Amino acid sequence: MFLHGGFFGPDNYIIKSLHKLGRLPVQIVQGQYDTICPMAFAWQVATALPGARLYVSPVAAHDASETENRARLQQLIAGI
């Protein structure tokens, strides 16, 4: 858990505030074995945002330098 709750407001602050993003396109890259940011949270965010797309890396965890996560992030940045 973040020290001091990550300085976020009340419980579920992020989920409760997602509506402010409207239909902004959001790309979420999530490693299936991520224990730092569990898949359930990525799923909640993706389903709460109409403009979101969730990409799951089947054998990756949290780090962006992991092969699958890095490849997907590079594709998204390049607009592929």
Side-chain angles (χ1 to χ4, degrees):
M1 189 54 146
F2 289 114
L3 183 63
H4 304 297
F7 297 99
F8 289 114
D11 287 343
N12 297 317
Y13 173 79
I14 294 174
I15 296 294
K16 290 178 181 177
S17 300
L18 287 174
H19 69 277
K20 296 177 184 179
L21 296 176
R23 293 192 167 276
L24 184 72
V26 175
Q27 310 298 323
I28 303 167
V29 177
Q30 174 71 35
Q32 182 173 337
Y33 296 105
D34 188 339
T35 57
I36 296 169
C37 300
M39 179 80 72
F41 185 70
W43 179 256
Q44 282 181 302
V45 172
T47 56
L49 289 173
R53 274 192 80 181
L54 174 61
Y55 301 92
V56 178
S57 301
V59 296
H62 181 77
D63 201 288
S65 68
E66 292 186 58
T67 304
E68 286 185 322
N69 288 341
R70 182 178 58 246
R72 176 58 72 182
L73 290 167
Q74 287 172 334
Q75 288 172 345
L76 291 170
I77 290 167
I80 299 172

